[in-house]
Amino acid sequence: MTTPLTLTPGVRPDGVALLTAAGEIDMSNTDALAAALESTPGPVVIDLTSVEYLDSAGLSVLFAHADHIALIANPLLTPVLTISGLADLVTVAEGDSGAR
């Protein structure tokens, strides 16, 4: 069974691609996340503020695209991004810090 995940593409006011995720990111739906990232050219800001769960499979997808992503994350995900080392590779802004 696939865990509910909604991925909504958009563009920020500065012209940078924005991918807004809502739900949970786990091994059942990482193919959709990977496909969305692979189909978006250039740098991408991924808004994870509505993501409630992120497992190692989701982290693997983010690591694979670390060269062209930035993240906006809710405080719940910040420890996972830090401990995994992803926060050392990509810019991570918290919540509604204006990074959108």
Side-chain angles (χ1 to χ4, degrees):
M1 183 164 90
T2 303
T3 303
L5 174 65
T6 302
L7 298 169
T8 306
V11 179
R12 296 180 347 156
D14 62 2
V16 174
L18 175 66
L19 181 64
T20 303
E24 298 183 2
I25 301 173
D26 64 20
M27 65 184 278
S28 73
N29 57 29
T30 54
D31 289 344
L33 177 60
L37 290 172
E38 290 164 8
S39 68
T40 306
V44 181
V45 174
I46 306 170
D47 184 345
L48 301 173
T49 55
S50 295
V51 171
E52 301 160 358
Y53 178 78
L54 174 66
D55 75 1
S56 59
L59 284 170
S60 293
V61 172
L62 297 177
F63 269 104
H65 296 276
D67 62 335
H68 68 280
I69 64 171
L71 303 174
I72 304 170
N74 65 48
L76 177 69
L77 298 181
T78 303
V80 173
L81 300 172
T82 302
I83 291 168
S84 69
L86 188 60
D88 294 332
L89 299 177
V90 304
T91 301
V92 178
E94 272 199 35
D96 291 295
S97 65
R100 288 183 213 184

